[in-house]
Amino acid sequence: MRQAIIFTFLLLFSLSIKAQNLFNPLGEWRGSFPLYNGEEIPFNFSVRTDSAGKYIVYFINGPEEYFGGQLIQVKDSLQIWINQFDRLITIGIKNNKILKGIWRRQTNGEDAYPILVEQNNTQRFIWEKQTTPQKISGKYDVVFTNDSGKQIKAIGLFNQEGNKGGVTFLRPSGDSRYSFGSIQGSEFKFSLFIGYSPLLFSGSIEVDGSLKGVQQGLKSVQLIRAYKNEAAALPDPSTLTQLKNNQQPFYFSLPNIAGKRISLEDSAYFNKPVILTIGGTWCPNCADEAKFLSTWYKANKARGIEVITAQFEVKDELGYAQKTMTRFKEKFGIEYQQVFGGLSNGESVLKTFPLLKNFTGFPTTLFIRSDRTIQNIHAGFAGPATGQYYRAFIDSFNKHANELLIKDHAEQIEDWKRARIRALKAEDGWLNLEGLLWLNEGVNKFGSGANNSLVFPSGTIVLNGGEIIRKGDSVWLKPANGISFEVNGKNTKNKTLLFSESNTSTVVNHRNLRFTIIKRGEKVGVRLRNLQSLQIKNFAGIDYFETDSSWRFKANLIKPAFKQNIIIKNALRQENPTELVGKIRFEYKGQFFTLDAISEGDYLLIVMGDATSGQSTYAAGRFLYILKSEAESPNFMIDFNKAYNPPCVFTPYATCPIPPPQNILPFAVTAGEKMYSNH
């Protein structure tokens, strides 16, 4: 009995202590960053609960409530995890009203700054006395001057309601977003903070109506001089960033969130215009642009246009960028690719994109034609806080996007031909393929030596490169002593898993060699590429039938009523049951024909033959790729001018499907690619 009483007492005491340590953070808060000169940068935030009952934080800047992140209690402190900007606010919990805290980077606690916070306080600025405010609202010509004397012109958009107000500064690189504060007599103070880069704008209204003041951050001070001018304007953002050569195609190959290298020559972008934004997950204007662009892409991707964002981060580390890009993707619902460009400065941008002559700031948006030349470059981003300038940006963006898509049929086919050649010559194209080496169960020695079971091209690797070990459907790379390989972007000399059921996209690099593991039925092999292949250097182009619009037909996609497979045979005589996505039905000379289509990513693939097969075109038929979104459109047209040779025409190391009997047309399709010269 006594033990039970003691246990009950200890339990109640423990619950009492726990109850005392619980802190209710709900409600409105005021925070401030103390500055060296006795000033402060105040900010307001609100703590609420989400649908799951978790505490979440919104930063308040006048009319805007910006989601900051999740708040959790850890022992005697509150933590606000601002994942978008890789920041953390830690607030110590005590009985006194004013609490101390720190705002710092999540990684290694870098860039730590003290803050003071107070619960149940909605004030922004604390003035000793209230005086009748002078009028400040309107548009201003503004000049910012830093401590080195460099000047930047801007537009100041001031708003006022009584003694409350704010300002948005629009510079050529973008806008300062929403700020909020007070006007007392001839003095004004506005501040802004969304979890990143707190700023204070303070100054006075001069007798002539001009403004004189300063912009203060945690590390910098700039002088502000502003003159009211409703006609204030900035240079055209399309004139600020230049190219070294307007006719040269734009190119890059950069890793995405998964570490896979993304290029404009990838099949996902084949013959499509691409909008490339250059930004960073740390950049508030880039966040505003991402919010706009994510919604825009979902509404427009079916039109055959793509988007890529190249993120330049505060650390030149792929692992760090993968973390920040993943958070960015989740916050804004991004469905397009993000790639890592490097460190967040102009020098890094120019190194990554050498075709750029200069770079004016993040974000910058490039409108890239399907032939990979640049149509337009828009520097900066005027966000929602700029009102009419934001609406003008949307109009300009849509205008340039629409122009990328407007072409007559002949132009479309010429673009398609150029994209086809680029795809063949690309790093993942067919012209550099120099081996398809099937693996035996167990150890497979490889290198350029003739005694290896896997013989690589002479001069591309040492005689003994190591071992590739197969155990069932799993494959490992074991380098020879002193030999290193780059596996998914990281150098290694150790035994490494290359292929398994859950790991099917590993890329191995060594000098000019690149190889991956592929599986065809029960066969597992090494697909080997030589990026300096003579096939690329000796490639003389492709012969085509003349472009003929009469080989475009109104068509429709007939989807099967139930799931069914068709048998697709390949060059190895393997039969592959493949799901039928639908039949493409079209009319030719008064008679209806159908072609079975299978799925390949965003495309429908038709493996077809016709009466030209073995005569003027490849004997084993040709391919026709059609965007799924196009096939489901009421205005769908099947275009045989885009019929092209399968990869086995260009290399003996590709395994090509053969047209099923139902896809062999009884007439001659005199459109698209002709027989390649080697066949």
Side-chain angles (χ1 to χ4, degrees):
M1 176 65 73
R2 184 181 179 189
Q3 288 180 333
I5 292 173
I6 292 174
F7 176 80
T8 304
F9 173 81
L10 291 175
L11 179 61
L12 291 172
F13 180 79
S14 174
L15 292 173
S16 175
I17 294 296
K18 185 177 180 181
Q20 290 176 17
N21 288 336
L22 287 177
F23 184 90
N24 183 3
L26 291 172
E28 309 305 309
W29 291 70
R30 181 185 190 271
S32 65
F33 290 87
L35 297 177
Y36 69 95
N37 58 357
E39 288 277 10
E40 65 175 4
I41 305 178
F43 62 96
N44 302 104
F45 62 97
S46 176
V47 180
R48 306 165 189 175
T49 54
D50 63 12
S51 58
K54 296 179 180 179
Y55 293 123
I56 54 174
V57 171
Y58 284 85
F59 293 106
I60 313 298
N61 292 283
E64 182 189 46
E65 295 184 345
Y66 195 92
F67 177 72
Q70 187 177 348
L71 180 148
I72 61 174
Q73 181 174 342
V74 179
K75 295 182 179 179
D76 59 350
S77 68
L78 301 176
Q79 295 181 349
I80 302 173
W81 289 84
I82 311 169
N83 288 341
Q84 180 189 335
F85 301 117
D86 190 37
R87 296 283 172 166
L88 172 65
I89 290 177
T90 301
I91 303 167
I93 302 172
K94 293 184 179 179
N95 292 327
N96 56 319
K97 194 175 181 183
I98 303 295
L99 306 177
K100 294 182 179 180
I102 291 176
W103 173 73
R104 64 173 178 82
R105 194 175 300 283
Q106 292 178 9
T107 309
N108 299 326
E110 300 168 339
D111 295 331
Y113 293 91
I115 60 172
L116 300 174
V117 297
E118 184 178 1
Q119 193 177 19
N120 301 320
N121 186 344
T122 60
Q123 286 184 289
R124 190 70 156 205
F125 289 92
I126 301 172
W127 297 78
E128 292 183 2
K129 59 179 180 178
Q130 303 288 318
T131 56
T132 303
Q134 294 187 20
K135 292 183 179 180
I136 196 175
S137 61
K139 186 190 296 186
Y140 290 74
D141 268 320
V142 181
V143 175
F144 287 90
T145 306
N146 65 18
D147 53 8
S148 66
K150 181 180 179 180
Q151 293 187 331
I152 297 178
K153 292 185 177 181
I155 295 172
L157 305 172
F158 287 80
N159 63 83
Q160 180 178 1
E161 187 173 336
N163 67 349
K164 303 294 184 185
V167 62
T168 296
F169 290 108
L170 179 59
R171 299 174 176 86
S173 59
D175 66 281
S176 62
R177 308 190 81 263
Y178 297 91
S179 68
F180 180 71
S182 303
I183 309 102
Q184 297 292 342
S186 62
E187 305 294 315
F188 64 86
K189 290 183 179 181
F190 308 123
S191 65
L192 66 90
F193 181 64
I194 58 171
Y196 183 83
S197 188
L199 288 176
L200 169 68
F201 307 111
S202 60
S204 61
I205 306 168
E206 303 297 288
V207 175
D208 62 357
S210 65
L211 307 178
K212 185 186 292 184
V214 294
Q215 171 189 291
Q216 294 185 75
L218 297 177
K219 295 181 179 180
S220 64
V221 176
Q222 296 188 46
L223 300 179
I224 301 173
R225 203 70 174 93
Y227 298 87
K228 198 164 190 178
N229 179 8
E230 293 301 325
L234 292 175
D236 183 346
S238 295
T239 64
L240 299 177
T241 305
Q242 306 295 323
L243 295 169
K244 294 177 182 176
N245 185 334
N246 292 331
Q247 303 303 314
Q248 186 175 335
F250 197 82
Y251 176 80
F252 62 85
S253 178
L254 296 169
N256 67 0
I257 290 175
K260 177 185 177 183
R261 298 193 77 84
I262 300 298
S263 164
L264 292 176
E265 308 313 320
D266 295 344
S267 59
Y269 309 107
F270 180 79
N271 199 35
K272 292 182 183 179
V274 175
I275 297 171
L276 172 71
T277 66
I278 302 173
T281 63
W282 51 269
C283 161
N285 285 152
C286 304
D288 284 340
E289 183 186 45
K291 184 177 181 180
F292 160 78
L293 202 53
S294 178
T295 301
W296 185 92
Y297 178 69
K298 291 169 186 174
N300 288 274
K301 63 181 178 180
R303 300 171 65 195
I305 191 167
E306 287 294 332
V307 172
I308 301 174
T309 293
Q311 304 286 24
F312 289 78
E313 298 299 275
V314 296
K315 292 190 176 185
D316 194 9
E317 300 172 7
L318 177 58
Y320 176 81
Q322 288 171 318
K323 179 185 74 172
T324 58
M325 290 192 297
T326 298
R327 290 173 170 178
F328 205 71
K329 175 181 179 179
E330 292 170 352
K331 180 176 178 67
F332 296 106
I334 293 173
E335 295 182 357
Y336 48 84
Q337 288 283 359
Q338 295 179 90
V339 295
F340 176 47
L343 201 58
S344 56
N345 59 51
E347 182 180 343
S348 181
V349 172
L350 295 177
K351 182 180 179 181
T352 300
F353 302 121
L355 191 59
L356 294 179
K357 186 176 182 180
N358 67 307
F359 181 72
T360 54
F362 302 97
T364 291
T365 305
L366 286 71
F367 295 83
I368 306 173
R369 301 182 182 96
S370 55
D371 67 359
R372 299 303 172 245
T373 58
I374 303 297
Q375 177 221 73
N376 181 267
I377 303 177
H378 185 103
F381 179 80
T386 66
Q388 68 184 76
Y389 295 96
Y390 179 56
R391 293 188 291 273
F393 165 80
I394 293 174
D395 291 342
S396 173
F397 186 95
N398 284 321
K399 173 179 176 292
H400 290 302
N402 290 337
E403 288 175 352
L404 287 176
L405 292 164
I406 297 174
K407 305 170 193 168
D408 63 27
H409 182 242
E411 290 174 326
Q412 291 176 27
I413 298 303
E414 288 307 307
D415 281 352
W416 176 83
K417 290 177 182 178
R418 285 190 287 266
R420 170 82 167 128
I421 300 301
R422 289 198 309 274
L424 284 171
K425 292 182 175 181
E427 290 183 2
D428 62 348
W430 295 108
L431 291 177
N432 62 30
L433 199 60
E434 292 198 351
L436 180 56
L437 310 172
W438 299 109
L439 296 174
N440 296 318
E441 185 72 15
V443 174
N444 299 262
K445 293 185 179 296
F446 72 94
S448 59
N451 293 330
N452 291 293
S453 54
L454 305 176
V455 180
F456 284 20
S458 176
T460 62
I461 194 172
V462 295
L463 294 176
N464 174 26
E467 300 173 350
I468 296 177
I469 305 164
R470 177 185 176 185
K471 292 184 179 179
D473 286 345
S474 296
V475 178
W476 286 264
L477 168 69
K478 184 180 179 182
N481 290 336
I483 306 295
S484 67
F485 292 86
E486 182 185 283
V487 180
N488 278 350
K490 296 181 179 179
N491 286 320
T492 183
K493 295 182 179 180
N494 302 320
K495 184 177 179 181
T496 305
L497 178 67
L498 297 185
F499 186 88
S500 66
E501 288 186 4
S502 59
N503 184 30
T504 59
S505 60
T506 306
V507 179
V508 181
N509 288 285
H510 180 75
R511 299 178 183 171
N512 292 320
L513 289 181
R514 175 173 297 173
F515 64 87
T516 55
I517 306 299
I518 64 169
K519 189 172 187 289
R520 295 289 182 267
E522 298 301 315
K523 298 168 74 73
V524 177
V526 175
R527 172 166 279 169
L528 183 65
R529 299 180 183 277
N530 180 0
L531 301 185
Q532 297 296 320
S533 172
L534 288 176
Q535 292 185 88
I536 298 176
K537 297 177 181 178
N538 297 333
F539 180 67
I542 300 173
D543 291 330
Y544 299 89
F545 292 100
E546 285 191 20
T547 300
D548 186 348
S549 296
S550 68
W551 281 106
R552 295 174 74 222
F553 302 102
K554 176 73 175 173
N556 61 299
L557 172 65
I558 304 172
K559 295 184 178 181
F562 54 90
K563 183 176 179 178
Q564 57 181 290
N565 290 336
I566 58 174
I567 300 299
I568 301 289
K569 294 181 180 180
N570 63 25
L572 299 176
R573 299 185 178 179
Q574 296 170 324
E575 293 187 354
N576 300 302
T578 307
E579 184 177 352
L580 174 68
V581 177
K583 294 178 178 290
I584 304 295
R585 183 176 184 267
F586 66 97
E587 183 180 0
Y588 175 71
K589 292 186 176 180
Q591 187 175 348
F592 285 98
F593 297 89
T594 62
L595 293 168
D596 285 358
I598 59 178
S599 178
E600 192 163 309
D602 293 332
Y603 290 85
L604 298 178
L605 169 60
I606 297 172
V607 183
M608 56 166 278
D610 66 273
T612 68
S613 300
Q615 304 299 318
S616 54
T617 65
Y618 184 50
R622 291 181 288 175
F623 288 177
L624 196 59
Y625 276 101
I626 301 167
L627 269 173
K628 290 177 180 177
S629 56
E630 287 183 7
E632 294 175 353
S633 164
N635 300 315
F636 169 45
M637 303 281 286
I638 187 170
D639 191 346
F640 289 99
N641 290 279
K642 295 180 180 179
Y644 71 90
N645 290 312
C648 45
V649 168
F650 303 98
T651 174
Y653 306 116
T655 307
C656 289
I658 298 170
Q662 65 270 28
N663 275 11
I664 299 177
L665 297 170
F667 53 86
V669 178
T670 54
E673 292 184 0
K674 293 183 177 181
M675 184 91 73
Y676 187 55
S677 58
N678 288 2
H679 286 75

